[in-house]
Amino acid sequence: MTRETLIDVLEKIALLLELKGENPFKIRAYRTGAEVVQSHPGDIVGMARENQLEGIKGIGEALRDKLHELAVTGRLGFYEKLRAEFPEGLFALFEVPGLGPKKIAALHRELGVGSLTDLKRVCEDGSAAALSGFGEKTVTKILEGIAFNEQHAGNFRSDEAAQAAHEILEFLRAIPETSRAEVAGSFRRGKETVHDLDFLAASRHPAALMSVFTTAPFVSQVIASGDTKSSIRLSNGLQCDLRVVSTAEFPYALVYFTGSKEHNIQLRSRALRMGWTLNEYHLAPHGSEGTPEPTGVHDEKDVHRALGLEYMPPEIREGMGEIEAAQAGTLPSLIAVENLRGTFHNHTTASDGHASLAEMAEAARELGLQYLGIADHSKASFQANGLDEDRLRAQIAEIRALNETYGKDFRIFAGSEVDILRDGSLDFADDLLAELDYVVASVHNSFTLPEAEMTKRIIRAIENPHVTMLGHLTGRLLLKRDPYAVDIPAVIEACAATATIIELNANPWRLDMDWRWWRLAKEKGVRCAINPDAHSVRGLEDLWFGIRTARKGWLTRDDVINCLPLGRIESVLGAKRRR
DNA sequence: GCCGTTTTCGGCCCGACTGTTTTCAGTCG
């Protein structure tokens, strides 16, 4: 039993209760319960098993009993009974944008829709449009939603893949026949989404290694199985490939399977110009007049060096100028997680977070950070329990008081994630913003504005001298919601002109601003703040995804303000106001 | 189903947007 299973069951119960038209507050209780399980810092599965969940806010008697039953027996009678009332395929319909419980229930009740295939059929044959509450536009929207999902089918966010990647890597390394093992592919390059996981191992007994891999407990399906290459599927659908090579081949294979394709093509043509041919096994003389094979190649650094290049970290291997820079010796020294001294944009129970101010601060200290920025939602974000002026002022006072209890080695900064309203004005007046240590401005509504209007709206917010940084620039939710239309270069330009910092939102659903834009931002002199947008103690760990994304954007510690220590960060936060 | 300095019942998240309606229902944040 895993934490993920507990969360999944609670969320599915919520969906099923919605289909039944249950009391919305009961449904919300299950959702809240799922969030609490998700964000609880302790061993929640063990606690459920031992029936020690009493006292956790949001988990009452009913959920406590259900989680206990689930953790002990691996099953839940209540859930199984509920599930038997609807076809399994209905769950997939909730993933279609624009479809909610009421419409799904109507489709099921009136037309017997029980799967995506059924849904598509009734949309195309006109029967859906004839239902009460449905029309041509609804059907069009549903079909567009299905197409969106199909386009992203088989893709996973990096956080969905991360746990499997680490577990399987540990598993491979623990096999006695394994001499080396790494995860390669787009996951290693730190891409925001991945299609599969590529593992590479070195072994003198590849067949033995393969047989252990294909019969491992995490395998739900074996797709292909050979002596040096196998593919399996995990229960969540993620495909994992394992290649086994010799120890001598390992560095070349790791370069090859890490990619990207564009990077490899450039690397191979460079090798050709130097008299070699490069593939996943070796760097060999090309033709009869080729250069002799290099010796002493034990890892990727050696391969790069043999090609006359500085070492290129996996994140920048996208064929976007890294080879030229590696040749010229001008590669940036990429930021590392150890460089972080603090972080901004985090939530507490004052708005929609799950941990108190003091708990978040304690967690930040345990991570070794010197400061933590709190930026709860503003009042326009009703759904997130946004703070009004009075509550924000009370929170500022609470933060100032809490700071009195810390030594010189830790501090909480009082901020706000203030909503950028439809017209580009802010949800709080300037005099209140002036009381804060910093301000994150974010868009949370009216996503469908035309690009020009959205760009104007955001730039107007940026021009406010109290707006320290711009939150999640495009509002995207990876594989779920497209970014809204906005002219990113124009926003970067405006940030440069006004000394506004751009957030790299490290939440793995967002990773926004996208890594592809950071080199432009850096060139314009715009600085970055890596923010986890944490809604719980555990959420602070998302900083790891932000670091990977920053590295993909070629950022160094000098480009990211939260690498500055306490004592130097304050002047950066106040710089724009002083201009 | 959860919660409690309005405390064991009766509240609990409000508003924008869209599309289907002609005054509202559903979805989303």
Side-chain angles (χ1 to χ4, degrees):
Chain A
M1 180 55 52
T2 63
R3 186 191 292 259
E4 282 64 38
T5 309
L6 298 181
I7 297 167
D8 185 57
V9 169
L10 292 180
E11 281 174 348
K12 288 227 166 76
I13 290 175
L15 291 180
L16 291 165
L17 294 178
E18 276 187 322
L19 285 177
K20 289 182 65 134
E22 259 283 6
N23 174 0
F25 298 108
K26 185 193 276 194
I27 294 162
R28 190 193 300 166
Y30 278 95
R31 292 245 153 78
T32 308
E35 283 176 33
V36 170
V37 171
Q38 161 81 48
S39 60
H40 193 276
D43 170 23
I44 195 94
V45 181
M47 291 165 78
R49 201 169 40 233
E50 305 302 324
N51 209 4
Q52 290 174 343
L53 294 172
E54 188 156 2
I56 299 177
K57 198 165 181 286
I59 310 261
E61 204 181 328
L63 264 70
R64 199 159 64 225
D65 288 349
K66 290 189 173 76
L67 289 170
H68 179 55
E69 180 183 339
L70 200 50
V72 170
T73 68
R75 306 174 57 168
L76 181 57
F78 173 77
Y79 174 50
E80 285 172 15
K81 234 172 105 186
L82 209 50
R83 254 166 61 140
E85 296 180 40
F86 297 95
E88 189 68 21
L90 276 192
F91 285 122
L93 271 55
F94 283 94
E95 303 299 320
V96 178
L99 265 193
K102 300 288 166 58
K103 286 206 159 72
I104 294 172
L107 287 161
H108 176 238
R109 192 178 55 241
E110 307 293 331
L111 299 174
V113 169
S115 68
L116 271 179
T117 317
D118 293 346
L119 176 63
K120 222 170 168 174
R121 192 192 65 241
V122 299
C123 283
E124 281 163 356
D125 71 12
S127 50
L131 285 182
S132 160
F134 287 63
E136 281 308 319
K137 287 195 175 172
T138 307
V139 167
T140 306
K141 212 170 143 187
I142 292 172
L143 287 172
E144 281 170 3
I146 295 173
F148 178 91
N149 285 357
E150 281 174 352
Q151 193 190 333
H152 294 301
N155 285 308
F156 295 79
R157 292 187 317 272
S158 53
D159 60 308
E160 294 179 294
Q163 200 185 348
H166 293 129
E167 280 173 13
I168 294 173
L169 193 55
E170 288 308 304
F171 177 87
L172 291 173
R173 285 175 174 166
I175 300 172
E177 285 83 7
T178 305
S179 62
R180 300 175 73 174
E182 281 293 346
V183 57
S186 51
F187 180 80
R188 183 166 184 246
R189 297 201 313 279
K191 282 287 289 290
E192 64 276 25
T193 59
V194 300
H195 186 64
D196 55 19
L197 283 175
D198 298 300
F199 295 93
L200 181 68
S203 176
R204 295 170 67 177
H205 309 284
L209 193 56
M210 281 307 178
S211 115
V212 178
F213 176 68
T214 52
T215 56
F218 49 76
V219 173
S220 112
Q221 181 198 350
V222 177
I223 300 165
S225 170
D227 280 352
T228 61
K229 183 178 181 216
S230 293
S231 296
I232 60 102
R233 202 179 291 286
L234 307 178
S235 57
N236 68 356
L238 181 58
Q239 182 177 328
C240 299
D241 299 340
L242 173 64
R243 289 288 292 249
V244 183
V245 297
S246 71
T247 305
E249 290 162 347
F250 189 84
Y252 300 103
L254 188 54
V255 166
Y256 182 84
F257 289 111
T258 298
S260 65
K261 199 168 157 189
E262 293 74 20
H263 173 88
N264 284 350
I265 289 170
Q266 293 177 21
L267 214 53
R268 280 203 299 272
S269 62
R270 178 177 178 85
L272 274 178
R273 287 196 302 274
M274 295 173 76
W276 282 310
T277 173
L278 174 68
N279 60 26
E280 61 261 61
Y281 305 115
H282 53 214
L283 196 53
H286 180 66
S288 53
E289 298 174 12
T291 317
E293 195 160 343
T295 53
V297 174
H298 302 294
D299 56 29
E300 286 186 312
K301 276 196 174 68
D302 303 322
V303 178
H304 290 165
R305 188 171 56 232
L307 292 167
L309 300 169
E310 271 190 291
Y311 175 64
M312 294 166 280
E315 293 92 339
I316 62 169
R317 299 183 201 166
E318 295 291 343
M320 295 170 71
E322 68 277 7
I323 292 177
E324 292 80 353
Q327 184 189 349
T330 56
L331 278 180
S333 174
L334 301 181
I335 185 173
V337 72
E338 310 83 72
N339 298 142
L340 287 179
R341 294 292 172 265
T343 178
F344 304 95
H345 191 172
N346 299 290
H347 298 269
T348 73
T349 44
S351 64
D352 59 349
H354 297 288
S356 70
L357 195 53
E359 286 166 343
M360 290 297 284
E362 198 45 47
R365 293 182 74 168
E366 275 172 26
L367 284 177
L369 301 178
Q370 299 177 352
Y371 52 88
L372 176 73
I374 296 298
D376 271 313
H377 288 285
S378 65
K379 62 183 189 293
S381 281
F382 298 102
Q383 81 287 351
N385 188 25
L387 280 64
D388 61 19
E389 286 79 356
D390 290 344
R391 290 177 64 215
L392 179 56
R393 286 202 165 93
Q395 190 187 50
I396 297 172
E398 192 187 349
I399 288 173
R400 305 282 186 245
L402 204 51
N403 276 336
E404 294 295 319
T405 68
Y406 300 125
K408 284 196 187 317
D409 60 335
F410 187 78
R411 191 170 156 193
I412 307 173
F413 289 114
S416 170
E417 184 183 17
V418 63
D419 269 36
I420 300 175
L421 306 179
R422 193 190 172 101
D423 64 355
S425 65
L426 299 175
D427 198 19
F428 288 133
D430 283 0
D431 62 337
L432 177 54
L433 297 179
E435 294 177 36
L436 294 161
D437 297 320
Y438 72 100
V439 173
V440 184
S442 306
V443 167
H444 286 120
N445 56 30
S446 302
F447 292 153
T448 53
L449 290 183
E451 178 175 321
E453 212 173 316
M454 182 64 92
T455 305
K456 205 174 133 193
R457 169 189 187 186
I458 292 175
I459 289 177
R460 185 177 163 203
I462 288 168
E463 285 169 346
N464 184 305
H466 296 291
V467 171
T468 323
M469 59 186 82
L470 179 61
H472 46 69
L473 171 47
T474 73
R476 74 176 180 188
L477 295 177
L478 289 165
L479 307 179
K480 189 168 160 55
R481 187 175 73 205
D482 279 334
Y484 40 69
V486 55
D487 182 347
I488 294 177
V491 172
I492 289 175
E493 202 69 57
C495 286
T498 55
T500 306
I501 295 154
I502 296 180
E503 168 179 275
L504 197 175
N505 191 299
N507 184 315
W509 281 88
R510 297 186 181 273
L511 300 175
D512 184 11
M513 182 170 76
D514 187 278
W515 58 270
R516 295 160 184 84
W517 293 105
W518 282 108
R519 284 168 77 186
L520 175 66
K522 180 175 173 167
E523 188 187 307
K524 298 285 178 186
V526 177
R527 299 182 88 183
C528 169
I530 301 180
N531 293 329
D533 200 349
H535 286 71
S536 67
V537 163
R538 276 161 58 92
L540 288 171
E541 291 168 22
D542 287 341
L543 279 169
W544 184 76
F545 294 102
I547 290 287
R548 276 158 54 98
T549 306
R551 288 170 63 87
K552 273 196 101 51
W554 293 44
L555 297 184
T556 71
R557 60 189 302 177
D558 296 330
D559 303 317
V560 177
I561 64 157
N562 33 339
C563 292
L564 289 170
L566 211 49
R568 288 181 61 200
I569 184 67
E570 295 84 347
S571 69
V572 172
L573 295 181
K576 185 176 169 185
R577 286 167 176 163
R578 286 195 305 271
R579 275 156 63 99

